[in-house]
Amino acid sequence: MLYYFFRFLLRVLYTLLFRLEARGTENIPAEGPVVLASNHLSNFDPPTVGVKIKRKVHFMAKEELFKIPVFGPGIRAVGAFPVKRGGVSKDAIKSSIAMVKEGNVLGIFPEGSRHNQSGAAKKGAAMIAVRSGAAVVPVAIIGKYKPFSKIVVCYGKLIDLTAIIEESSPDMLEQVTDTIMARIRELAANNR
């Protein structure tokens, strides 16, 4: 219940402040396990990815955020769960896989950090998607978080990973990661 209350407030705030527009929400399955794999521009990105869709979206968040009075319990109530700084732990990956297998939606940023200068993605999103059997939806956030400028969040068509997974090569996770990132970049380029 708390999630939907905060989502409503954030939806109003983001619509007024950033003129947030969502495209392609029909590409998100109405039920079953889903991974929303998005580019990462700002700390504002998690709400941007989830605020305009009907389903509850869960996110990983830095462990330190959960220690902040009021804020920590608040982000936990809206679906965030902690990960240790400096990388995603095995426990966070296991928790994510279990949560997604239960039919939930996970929002994840394959690049890891918004400060990732190399643009190289980490394999966590691929591992979660493959091991959970989730549908993977590429997401592109376009624009800058400046008051009254426009932010667009685009949800692409499901990524079919069947051929890569069936091939089961040693670099499968790398191939899945590259495929996800290519679709995110393509989505961003086609919606500018």
Side-chain angles (χ1 to χ4, degrees), residues 9-10 51 54 70 85 88 90 100 142 148 157 166:
L9 288 179
L10 285 170
V51 77
K54 293 178 183 174
V70 181
R85 196 169 180 81
V88 177
K90 288 180 184 178
V100 173
I142 303 156
F148 311 110
K157 297 200 180 297
E166 286 177 355

Side-chain angles (χ1 to χ4, degrees), residues 30-35 55-56 58 81 93-106 128 131-135:
E31 55 188 38
V34 176
V35 169
R55 296 184 66 186
K56 181 177 182 176
H58 301 266
F81 57 97
I93 294 285
K94 285 179 185 176
S95 296
S96 299
I97 292 168
M99 188 260 310
V100 173
K101 277 185 174 181
E102 291 172 0
N104 293 301
V105 179
L106 174 69
I128 293 164
R131 292 196 180 162
S132 68

